[in-house]
Coordinates of all heavy atoms in Angstrom, one line a residue:
L1 N -34.2 80.9 44.7 CA -34.0 79.6 44.1 C -33.0 78.7 44.9 O -32.0 79.3 45.4 CB -33.4 79.7 42.7 CG -34.3 80.5 41.7 CD1 -33.6 80.6 40.4 CD2 -35.6 79.8 41.5
E2 N -33.3 77.5 45.0 CA -32.4 76.6 45.8 C -32.4 75.2 45.0 O -33.4 74.8 44.5 CB -33.0 76.4 47.2 CG -32.4 75.3 48.0 CD -30.9 75.4 48.2 OE1 -30.4 76.5 48.6 OE2 -30.2 74.4 47.8
G3 N -31.3 74.6 45.0 CA -31.1 73.4 44.3 C -31.7 72.2 45.1 O -32.0 71.2 44.4
A4 N -31.8 72.2 46.4 CA -32.3 71.1 47.2 C -33.7 71.3 47.6 O -34.1 72.3 48.3 CB -31.4 70.9 48.4
A5 N -34.6 70.4 47.2 CA -36.0 70.5 47.5 C -36.3 70.5 49.0 O -37.2 71.3 49.5 CB -36.8 69.4 46.9
S6 N -35.5 69.8 49.8 CA -35.7 69.7 51.2 C -35.4 71.1 51.9 O -36.1 71.4 52.9 CB -34.8 68.6 51.9 OG -33.4 68.9 51.6
L7 N -34.5 71.8 51.3 CA -34.2 73.2 51.9 C -35.3 74.2 51.5 O -35.6 75.0 52.3 CB -32.8 73.6 51.4 CG -31.6 72.8 51.9 CD1 -30.3 73.4 51.4 CD2 -31.6 72.8 53.4
V8 N -35.9 74.0 50.4 CA -37.0 74.9 50.0 C -38.2 74.6 51.0 O -38.8 75.5 51.4 CB -37.4 74.7 48.5 CG1 -38.7 75.4 48.2 CG2 -36.3 75.2 47.6
E9 N -38.4 73.3 51.3 CA -39.5 73.0 52.2 C -39.2 73.6 53.6 O -40.1 74.2 54.2 CB -39.6 71.5 52.3 CG -40.2 70.8 51.1 CD -40.1 69.3 51.1 OE1 -40.1 68.8 52.3 OE2 -40.2 68.7 50.1
R10 N -38.0 73.5 54.0 CA -37.6 74.1 55.3 C -37.8 75.6 55.3 O -38.3 76.2 56.3 CB -36.2 73.7 55.7 CG -36.1 72.3 56.1 CD -34.7 71.9 56.4 NE -34.0 72.7 57.3 CZ -32.7 72.7 57.5 NH1 -31.9 71.8 56.8 NH2 -32.1 73.5 58.4
A11 N -37.4 76.3 54.2 CA -37.5 77.7 54.1 C -39.0 78.2 54.1 O -39.4 79.1 54.8 CB -36.9 78.2 52.8
R12 N -39.8 77.4 53.4 CA -41.3 77.7 53.4 C -41.9 77.6 54.8 O -42.7 78.4 55.3 CB -42.0 76.9 52.4 CG -41.7 77.3 51.0 CD -42.4 76.3 50.0 NE -42.1 76.8 48.6 CZ -42.2 76.0 47.6 NH1 -42.6 74.7 47.7 NH2 -41.9 76.4 46.4
A13 N -41.5 76.5 55.5 CA -42.0 76.3 56.9 C -41.5 77.4 57.8 O -42.3 77.8 58.7 CB -41.5 74.9 57.4
N14 N -40.3 77.8 57.7 CA -39.7 78.8 58.5 C -40.5 80.2 58.2 O -40.8 80.9 59.1 CB -38.2 79.0 58.3 CG -37.6 79.8 59.3 OD1 -38.0 79.9 60.5 ND2 -36.5 80.4 58.9
A15 N -40.7 80.5 56.9 CA -41.5 81.7 56.6 C -42.9 81.6 57.2 O -43.3 82.7 57.7 CB -41.5 81.8 55.1
A16 N -43.5 80.5 57.2 CA -44.9 80.4 57.7 C -44.8 80.6 59.2 O -45.7 81.2 59.8 CB -45.5 79.0 57.4
A17 N -43.8 80.0 59.9 CA -43.7 80.1 61.3 C -43.5 81.6 61.8 O -43.8 81.9 62.9 CB -42.5 79.3 61.8
H18 N -42.9 82.4 60.9 CA -42.6 83.8 61.2 C -43.5 84.8 60.5 O -43.2 86.0 60.4 CB -41.2 84.1 60.9 CG -40.2 83.3 61.8 ND1 -40.1 83.5 63.1 CD2 -39.5 82.2 61.5 CE1 -39.2 82.7 63.7 NE2 -38.9 81.8 62.7
D19 N -44.7 84.3 60.0 CA -45.7 85.1 59.4 C -45.2 85.9 58.2 O -45.5 87.1 58.0 CB -46.3 86.1 60.4 CG -47.7 86.6 60.0 OD1 -48.4 85.9 59.2 OD2 -48.0 87.7 60.4
L20 N -44.4 85.2 57.4 CA -43.8 85.9 56.2 C -44.3 85.3 54.9 O -43.7 85.6 53.8 CB -42.2 85.7 56.3 CG -41.5 86.4 57.4 CD1 -40.1 86.1 57.5 CD2 -41.7 87.9 57.3
V21 N -45.3 84.5 55.0 CA -45.9 83.9 53.7 C -46.4 85.1 52.9 O -47.1 86.0 53.3 CB -47.0 82.9 54.0 CG1 -47.7 82.5 52.8 CG2 -46.5 81.7 54.8
G22 N -46.0 85.0 51.6 CA -46.4 86.1 50.7 C -45.4 87.2 50.6 O -45.5 88.1 49.7
R23 N -44.5 87.3 51.5 CA -43.4 88.3 51.5 C -42.1 87.8 51.0 O -41.2 88.5 50.8 CB -43.3 88.9 52.9 CG -44.5 89.6 53.4 CD -44.4 90.3 54.7 NE -43.3 91.3 54.6 CZ -42.6 91.7 55.7 NH1 -42.9 91.3 56.9 NH2 -41.7 92.6 55.5
A24 N -42.0 86.4 50.9 CA -40.8 85.8 50.5 C -41.2 84.6 49.6 O -42.2 84.0 49.9 CB -39.9 85.3 51.6
S25 N -40.4 84.2 48.6 CA -40.7 83.1 47.8 C -39.5 82.2 47.7 O -38.4 82.6 47.8 CB -41.2 83.5 46.4 OG -40.2 84.2 45.7
F26 N -39.8 80.9 47.6 CA -38.7 79.9 47.6 C -39.1 78.8 46.5 O -40.2 78.3 46.5 CB -38.6 79.2 48.9 CG -38.5 80.1 50.1 CD1 -39.6 80.5 50.8 CD2 -37.3 80.6 50.5 CE1 -39.5 81.4 51.8 CE2 -37.2 81.5 51.5 CZ -38.3 81.9 52.2
E27 N -38.2 78.6 45.6 CA -38.4 77.7 44.5 C -37.2 76.8 44.3 O -36.1 77.1 44.5 CB -38.6 78.4 43.1 CG -39.8 79.4 43.2 CD -41.1 78.8 43.3 OE1 -41.3 77.6 42.8 OE2 -42.0 79.4 43.9
V28 N -37.5 75.5 43.8 CA -36.4 74.6 43.5 C -36.0 74.8 42.0 O -36.9 74.9 41.2 CB -36.9 73.1 43.7 CG1 -35.8 72.1 43.3 CG2 -37.4 72.9 45.1
A29 N -34.7 74.8 41.8 CA -34.3 74.9 40.4 C -32.8 74.4 40.3 O -32.1 74.3 41.3 CB -34.2 76.4 40.0
D30 N -32.5 73.9 39.1 CA -31.1 73.5 38.8 C -30.3 74.8 38.7 O -30.4 75.5 37.7 CB -31.1 72.7 37.5 CG -29.6 72.3 37.1 OD1 -28.7 72.8 37.8 OD2 -29.5 71.6 36.2
L31 N -29.6 75.2 39.7 CA -28.9 76.5 39.8 C -27.8 76.6 38.8 O -27.5 77.7 38.3 CB -28.4 76.7 41.2 CG -29.4 76.7 42.3 CD1 -28.8 77.0 43.6 CD2 -30.5 77.8 42.0
W32 N -27.2 75.5 38.3 CA -26.2 75.6 37.3 C -26.7 75.8 35.9 O -26.0 76.3 35.1 CB -25.2 74.4 37.4 CG -24.6 74.3 38.8 CD1 -24.7 73.3 39.6 CD2 -23.8 75.4 39.5 NE1 -24.0 73.6 40.8 CE2 -23.5 74.8 40.7 CE3 -23.4 76.6 39.1 CZ2 -22.8 75.6 41.6 CZ3 -22.7 77.4 40.0 CH2 -22.4 76.8 41.3
A33 N -28.0 75.5 35.7 CA -28.6 75.7 34.4 C -29.3 77.1 34.3 O -29.6 77.6 33.3 CB -29.7 74.6 34.2
V34 N -29.5 77.8 35.5 CA -30.2 79.0 35.5 C -29.4 80.1 34.7 O -30.0 80.9 34.1 CB -30.4 79.5 37.0 CG1 -30.8 81.0 37.0 CG2 -31.4 78.7 37.7
G35 N -28.1 80.1 34.7 CA -27.3 81.1 34.0 C -27.3 80.9 32.5 O -26.9 81.7 31.8
E36 N -27.9 79.8 32.0 CA -27.9 79.5 30.6 C -29.3 79.9 30.0 O -30.3 79.7 30.5 CB -27.7 78.0 30.3 CG -26.4 77.5 30.9 CD -26.3 76.0 30.9 OE1 -27.3 75.3 30.5 OE2 -25.3 75.5 31.4
G37 N -29.2 80.5 28.8 CA -30.5 80.8 28.1 C -31.3 81.9 28.8 O -30.8 82.7 29.6
P38 N -32.6 81.9 28.5 CA -33.5 82.9 29.2 C -33.6 82.7 30.7 O -33.3 81.6 31.2 CB -34.9 82.6 28.5 CG -34.8 81.2 27.9 CD -33.3 80.9 27.7
A39 N -33.9 83.8 31.3 CA -33.9 83.7 32.8 C -35.0 82.7 33.3 O -36.0 82.5 32.7 CB -34.3 85.1 33.4
H40 N -34.7 82.1 34.4 CA -35.6 81.1 35.0 C -36.9 81.9 35.4 O -36.8 83.1 35.7 CB -35.0 80.6 36.3 CG -35.8 79.5 37.0 ND1 -36.8 79.8 37.8 CD2 -35.7 78.2 36.9 CE1 -37.3 78.7 38.3 NE2 -36.6 77.7 37.7
P41 N -38.1 81.3 35.2 CA -39.3 82.0 35.5 C -39.3 82.7 36.9 O -39.9 83.8 37.0 CB -40.4 81.0 35.4 CG -39.8 79.9 34.5 CD -38.3 80.0 34.7
S42 N -38.7 82.1 37.8 CA -38.7 82.7 39.2 C -37.8 84.0 39.2 O -37.9 84.8 40.2 CB -38.2 81.7 40.2 OG -39.1 80.7 40.3
L43 N -37.0 84.2 38.2 CA -36.1 85.4 38.2 C -36.7 86.5 37.4 O -36.2 87.6 37.4 CB -34.7 85.0 37.6 CG -33.9 84.0 38.4 CD1 -32.6 83.7 37.7 CD2 -33.6 84.5 39.8
Q44 N -37.8 86.2 36.8 CA -38.4 87.3 36.0 C -39.3 88.2 36.9 O -39.7 87.8 37.9 CB -39.3 86.7 34.8 CG -38.4 85.9 33.9 CD -39.2 85.2 32.8 OE1 -40.4 85.3 32.7 NE2 -38.5 84.4 32.0
G45 N -39.6 89.4 36.4 CA -40.3 90.3 37.2 C -39.4 91.2 38.0 O -38.2 91.2 37.9
S46 N -40.0 91.9 39.0 CA -39.3 92.8 39.8 C -39.2 92.3 41.2 O -40.2 91.8 41.7 CB -40.0 94.2 39.7 OG -39.3 95.1 40.4
W47 N -38.1 92.5 41.8 CA -37.9 92.0 43.2 C -37.4 93.1 44.1 O -36.7 94.0 43.6 CB -36.8 90.9 43.2 CG -37.3 89.7 42.4 CD1 -37.0 89.5 41.1 CD2 -38.1 88.6 42.9 NE1 -37.6 88.3 40.7 CE2 -38.3 87.8 41.8 CE3 -38.6 88.3 44.1 CZ2 -39.0 86.6 41.9 CZ3 -39.4 87.2 44.2 CH2 -39.6 86.3 43.1
D48 N -37.7 93.1 45.4 CA -37.2 94.1 46.3 C -35.7 93.8 46.6 O -34.9 94.7 46.8 CB -37.9 94.0 47.7 CG -39.4 94.4 47.5 OD1 -39.7 95.2 46.7 OD2 -40.2 93.8 48.2
G49 N -35.3 92.6 46.6 CA -33.9 92.2 46.8 C -33.7 90.7 46.6 O -34.7 89.9 46.5
V50 N -32.5 90.3 46.5 CA -32.1 88.9 46.2 C -31.0 88.6 47.2 O -30.0 89.3 47.3 CB -31.7 88.7 44.8 CG1 -31.2 87.3 44.6 CG2 -32.8 89.0 43.8
L51 N -31.1 87.4 47.8 CA -30.0 86.9 48.7 C -29.4 85.7 48.0 O -30.0 84.8 47.6 CB -30.6 86.5 50.1 CG -29.6 85.8 51.0 CD1 -28.6 86.8 51.5 CD2 -30.4 85.1 52.2
V52 N -28.0 85.8 47.8 CA -27.3 84.8 47.2 C -26.3 84.2 48.2 O -25.5 84.9 48.7 CB -26.5 85.3 46.0 CG1 -25.7 84.2 45.3 CG2 -27.4 86.0 45.0
D53 N -26.4 82.9 48.4 CA -25.6 82.2 49.4 C -25.0 81.0 48.7 O -25.5 79.8 48.9 CB -26.4 81.8 50.6 CG -25.5 81.2 51.7 OD1 -24.3 81.2 51.6 OD2 -26.1 80.8 52.8
P54 N -24.0 81.2 47.8 CA -23.5 80.1 47.0 C -22.5 79.2 47.8 O -22.1 79.5 48.9 CB -22.7 80.8 45.9 CG -22.2 82.0 46.6 CD -23.3 82.4 47.6
P55 N -22.2 78.0 47.2 CA -21.2 77.1 47.8 C -19.8 77.8 47.7 O -19.7 78.9 47.0 CB -21.2 75.9 46.9 CG -21.7 76.4 45.6 CD -22.7 77.5 45.9
R56 N -18.8 77.2 48.3 CA -17.5 77.8 48.3 C -16.9 78.1 46.9 O -16.2 79.0 46.7 CB -16.5 76.9 49.0 CG -16.7 76.9 50.5 CD -15.5 76.1 51.2 NE -15.8 76.0 52.6 CZ -15.3 76.9 53.4 NH1 -14.6 78.0 53.0 NH2 -15.5 76.8 54.7
S57 N -17.4 77.3 45.9 CA -16.9 77.5 44.5 C -17.4 78.8 43.9 O -17.0 79.2 42.8 CB -17.2 76.3 43.7 OG -18.6 76.1 43.7
G58 N -18.4 79.4 44.5 CA -19.0 80.6 43.9 C -20.2 80.4 43.1 O -20.8 79.3 43.1
V59 N -20.7 81.5 42.5 CA -22.0 81.4 41.8 C -21.9 80.8 40.4 O -22.9 80.5 39.8 CB -22.7 82.8 41.7 CG1 -23.0 83.3 43.0 CG2 -21.8 83.8 41.0
G60 N -20.7 80.7 39.8 CA -20.5 80.1 38.5 C -21.4 80.8 37.5 O -21.5 82.0 37.4
P61 N -22.1 80.0 36.6 CA -22.9 80.6 35.6 C -24.1 81.4 36.0 O -24.7 82.1 35.3 CB -23.4 79.3 34.8 CG -23.2 78.2 35.7 CD -22.1 78.5 36.7
L62 N -24.4 81.3 37.3 CA -25.5 82.0 37.8 C -25.2 83.5 37.8 O -26.2 84.4 37.8 CB -25.9 81.6 39.3 CG -27.1 82.2 40.0 CD1 -28.3 81.9 39.2 CD2 -27.2 81.7 41.4
V63 N -24.0 83.9 37.7 CA -23.6 85.3 37.8 C -24.3 86.1 36.6 O -24.7 87.2 36.7 CB -22.1 85.6 37.8 CG1 -21.4 85.3 36.5 CG2 -21.8 87.0 38.3
D64 N -24.4 85.5 35.4 CA -25.0 86.1 34.3 C -26.5 86.3 34.5 O -27.1 87.4 34.2 CB -24.9 85.3 33.0 CG -23.4 85.2 32.5 OD1 -22.7 86.2 32.8 OD2 -23.0 84.2 31.9
A65 N -27.2 85.4 35.2 CA -28.6 85.5 35.5 C -28.8 86.6 36.5 O -29.8 87.4 36.5 CB -29.1 84.2 36.1
L66 N -27.8 86.8 37.5 CA -28.0 87.8 38.5 C -28.0 89.2 37.8 O -28.6 90.1 38.3 CB -26.8 87.7 39.5 CG -26.9 86.6 40.4 CD1 -25.6 86.5 41.3 CD2 -28.1 86.6 41.3
G67 N -27.2 89.3 36.7 CA -27.2 90.6 36.0 C -28.5 90.9 35.3 O -28.7 92.1 35.0
R68 N -29.3 90.0 35.1 CA -30.6 90.2 34.4 C -31.8 90.4 35.4 O -32.9 90.6 35.0 CB -30.9 89.0 33.5 CG -29.9 88.9 32.3 CD -30.4 87.8 31.3 NE -30.6 86.5 31.8 CZ -29.7 85.5 31.8 NH1 -28.5 85.7 31.3 NH2 -30.0 84.3 32.3
I69 N -31.5 90.3 36.7 CA -32.6 90.4 37.7 C -32.9 91.9 37.9 O -32.0 92.7 38.1 CB -32.2 89.7 39.0 CG1 -32.0 88.2 38.8 CG2 -33.2 90.0 40.1 CD1 -31.5 87.5 40.0
D70 N -34.2 92.2 38.0 CA -34.6 93.5 38.3 C -34.8 93.7 39.8 O -35.9 93.5 40.3 CB -35.9 93.8 37.5 CG -36.4 95.3 37.8 OD1 -35.6 96.1 38.2 OD2 -37.6 95.5 37.5
A71 N -33.7 93.9 40.5 CA -33.7 94.1 41.9 C -32.7 95.2 42.3 O -31.6 95.2 41.8 CB -33.3 92.8 42.6
P72 N -33.1 96.1 43.1 CA -32.2 97.2 43.5 C -31.1 96.7 44.4 O -30.0 97.4 44.5 CB -33.1 98.2 44.3 CG -34.2 97.3 44.8 CD -34.4 96.2 43.8
R73 N -31.2 95.5 45.0 CA -30.1 95.1 45.9 C -29.9 93.6 45.8 O -30.9 92.8 45.8 CB -30.5 95.4 47.4 CG -29.5 94.9 48.4 CD -29.8 95.4 49.8 NE -29.6 96.9 49.8 CZ -30.2 97.7 50.6 NH1 -31.0 97.2 51.5 NH2 -30.0 99.0 50.5
I74 N -28.7 93.2 45.6 CA -28.3 91.8 45.7 C -27.3 91.6 46.8 O -26.3 92.3 46.8 CB -27.7 91.3 44.3 CG1 -28.8 91.5 43.2 CG2 -27.2 89.9 44.4 CD1 -28.2 91.2 41.8
V75 N -27.7 90.8 47.7 CA -26.8 90.5 48.9 C -26.1 89.2 48.6 O -26.7 88.1 48.4 CB -27.6 90.4 50.2 CG1 -26.6 90.1 51.4 CG2 -28.3 91.8 50.4
Y76 N -24.8 89.2 48.6 CA -24.0 88.0 48.4 C -23.3 87.5 49.7 O -22.5 88.3 50.2 CB -22.9 88.3 47.3 CG -22.1 87.1 46.8 CD1 -22.3 86.6 45.6 CD2 -21.0 86.6 47.6 CE1 -21.6 85.6 45.1 CE2 -20.3 85.6 47.1 CZ -20.5 85.0 45.8 OH -19.8 84.0 45.4
V77 N -23.6 86.4 50.1 CA -23.0 85.8 51.4 C -21.8 85.0 51.0 O -21.9 84.1 50.1 CB -24.0 84.9 52.1 CG1 -23.4 84.3 53.3 CG2 -25.3 85.7 52.4
S78 N -20.7 85.4 51.5 CA -19.4 84.8 51.2 C -18.8 84.1 52.4 O -18.9 84.6 53.5 CB -18.4 85.8 50.7 OG -17.2 85.2 50.5
C79 N -18.3 82.9 52.2 CA -17.7 82.2 53.4 C -16.2 82.6 53.6 O -15.5 82.1 54.4 CB -17.8 80.7 53.2 SG -17.1 80.1 51.7
G80 N -15.7 83.4 52.7 CA -14.3 83.9 52.8 C -14.2 85.4 52.6 O -15.1 85.9 51.9
P81 N -13.3 86.0 53.2 CA -13.1 87.5 53.0 C -12.7 87.9 51.6 O -12.2 87.2 50.9 CB -12.1 87.9 54.0 CG -11.3 86.6 54.3 CD -12.2 85.5 54.0

Protein backbone atom coordinates (compact mmCIF):
# COMPACT_ATOMS: atom_id res chain seq x y z
CA LEU A 1 0.00 0.00 0.00
CA GLU A 2 1.19 3.47 -0.82
CA GLY A 3 -0.39 6.84 -0.19
CA ALA A 4 0.81 8.43 -3.46
CA ALA A 5 -0.81 7.22 -6.70
CA SER A 6 2.22 8.33 -8.74
CA LEU A 7 4.50 6.04 -6.70
CA VAL A 8 2.15 3.09 -7.20
CA GLU A 9 2.26 3.70 -10.96
CA ARG A 10 6.08 3.77 -10.85
CA ALA A 11 6.19 0.56 -8.79
CA ARG A 12 3.90 -1.23 -11.24
CA ALA A 13 5.99 -0.07 -14.20
CA ASN A 14 9.17 -1.20 -12.45
CA ALA A 15 7.64 -4.61 -11.68
CA ALA A 16 6.63 -4.99 -15.34
CA ALA A 17 10.12 -4.02 -16.51
CA HIS A 18 11.60 -6.76 -14.32
CA ASP A 19 9.05 -9.47 -15.17
CA LEU A 20 7.51 -9.40 -11.69
CA VAL A 21 3.87 -8.82 -12.65
CA GLY A 22 1.75 -11.20 -10.60
CA ARG A 23 4.49 -11.66 -7.98
CA ALA A 24 4.06 -8.26 -6.31
CA SER A 25 1.06 -6.00 -5.83
CA PHE A 26 0.80 -2.26 -5.34
CA GLU A 27 -2.32 -0.38 -4.21
CA VAL A 28 -3.14 3.23 -3.32
CA ALA A 29 -4.63 3.74 0.15
CA ASP A 30 -4.93 6.35 2.86
CA LEU A 31 -2.22 4.85 5.05
CA TRP A 32 -3.24 6.74 8.18
CA ALA A 33 -6.80 5.33 7.92
CA VAL A 34 -5.59 1.74 7.38
CA GLY A 35 -4.97 1.20 11.10
CA GLU A 36 -8.56 2.10 11.96
CA GLY A 37 -11.41 -0.41 11.84
CA PRO A 38 -11.30 -3.56 9.72
CA ALA A 39 -8.20 -4.31 7.71
CA HIS A 40 -7.87 -2.68 4.30
CA PRO A 41 -8.93 -5.18 1.58
CA SER A 42 -5.34 -5.28 0.30
CA LEU A 43 -4.17 -6.44 3.73
CA GLN A 44 -6.55 -9.36 3.91
CA GLY A 45 -5.47 -12.83 2.86
CA SER A 46 -2.08 -14.44 3.19
CA TRP A 47 1.19 -12.82 2.10
CA ASP A 48 4.73 -14.13 1.66
CA GLY A 49 6.07 -10.93 3.17
CA VAL A 50 5.43 -7.24 3.66
CA LEU A 51 7.87 -4.35 3.17
CA VAL A 52 7.18 -1.26 5.29
CA ASP A 53 9.07 1.94 4.43
CA PRO A 54 7.40 4.65 6.55
CA PRO A 55 8.22 8.36 6.81
CA ARG A 56 10.55 9.52 9.58
CA SER A 57 7.59 9.86 11.94
CA GLY A 58 7.05 6.08 11.83
CA VAL A 59 4.10 3.84 11.03
CA GLY A 60 1.65 5.50 13.43
CA PRO A 61 -1.77 3.82 13.41
CA LEU A 62 -0.63 1.40 10.71
CA VAL A 63 1.17 -0.62 13.41
CA ASP A 64 -2.17 -2.14 14.51
CA ALA A 65 -2.94 -3.19 10.94
CA LEU A 66 0.52 -4.80 10.64
CA GLY A 67 -0.34 -7.02 13.59
CA ARG A 68 -3.38 -8.36 11.70
CA ILE A 69 -1.50 -9.27 8.52
CA ASP A 70 -1.01 -12.97 7.80
CA ALA A 71 2.64 -12.77 6.73
CA PRO A 72 5.60 -14.75 8.09
CA ARG A 73 7.94 -11.79 7.57
CA ILE A 74 7.54 -8.02 7.88
CA VAL A 75 10.57 -5.97 6.84
CA TYR A 76 10.67 -2.46 8.33
CA VAL A 77 12.95 0.04 6.60
CA SER A 78 14.17 2.67 9.05
CA CYS A 79 16.02 5.88 8.25
CA GLY A 80 17.60 5.93 11.69
CA PRO A 81 19.36 3.29 13.79
